[in-house]
Amino acid sequence: SEAEIFWKDFLRKLARRGLRGVKLVVSAFIGTAFAQEANAAAHAQWRQVADQLRPRAHKLVDLMDHAEMDVLAYMGFPQAHRTKLHSTNPIERLNGEIKRRTEVVGIFPNEDAIILLEQNDEWAVQRSRYMTLETVAPLSDDPLVSLPPVAAA
């Protein structure tokens, strides 16, 4: 196939540049853990990949052993939230709001002005909320989680 010709040429160029041996593990191999739907399955896949790499890439496997809980922490959230957890959209919106206010006022008049409470209200009631109450409620210990009366109206 065309792809095979490309990869042969690419790998030959790397060899001519002096690159020999396994120096990089293809991210798709480790990425199989991220494709899992359940938390336990993701951790099991992570361990399986680490065990397969152990004989060849000791430093990588040591890193994987120490990073597993941090890297797969997002799997503890409901599936509906996982794709949004890696997004920087909320922080970009917040930074945009801070920039807008800074340009208008020039400075923040006091510490309380820095707290953007209405930004939280806007995100709570907007049509396409970042994380809906229905998907966040199961994470709470409080069975009576609900929107405040103002936001629910």
Side-chain angles (χ1 to χ4, degrees):
S1 76
E2 293 175 3
E4 186 177 345
I5 294 168
F6 167 80
W7 285 113
K8 281 182 180 178
D9 289 343
F10 177 74
L11 293 173
R12 285 184 180 132
K13 286 178 188 175
L14 292 177
R16 283 193 300 271
R17 291 176 40 207
L19 297 174
R20 300 267 191 271
V22 177
K23 301 290 183 189
L24 176 67
V25 175
V26 178
S27 64
F29 189 48
I30 295 173
T32 58
F34 305 121
Q36 305 303 312
E37 294 198 19
N39 191 7
H43 283 276
Q45 182 65 24
W46 185 270
R47 298 289 359 118
Q48 182 180 0
V49 169
D51 290 342
Q52 289 176 1
L53 293 172
R54 199 170 302 282
R56 298 185 307 260
H58 300 292
K59 289 181 182 179
L60 174 62
V61 174
D62 288 343
L63 178 64
M64 288 179 70
D65 289 341
H66 288 94
E68 178 180 358
M69 297 309 290
D70 291 336
V71 171
L72 297 176
Y74 77 99
M75 292 295 291
F77 287 86
Q79 184 147 4
H81 294 187
R82 292 180 193 160
T83 56
K84 295 178 180 182
L85 289 172
H86 66 78
S87 173
T88 58
N89 286 347
I91 196 70
E92 289 173 10
R93 286 183 192 167
L94 190 59
N95 286 339
E97 183 64 15
I98 290 171
K99 182 179 178 183
R100 183 188 70 77
R101 290 179 184 203
T102 303
E103 289 172 354
V104 171
V105 178
I107 60 168
F108 287 100
N110 57 40
E111 288 284 325
D112 293 335
I114 295 172
I115 300 171
L116 302 172
L117 294 177
E118 67 273 6
Q119 188 69 33
N120 183 48
D121 291 342
E122 176 187 330
W123 288 348
V125 298
Q126 67 184 345
R127 184 166 188 246
S128 174
R129 284 183 262 160
Y130 181 69
M131 290 185 185
T132 65
L133 181 64
E134 294 77 18
T135 60
V136 173
L139 300 175
S140 175
D141 292 335
D142 182 358
L144 301 176
V145 173
S146 63
L147 285 173
V150 173

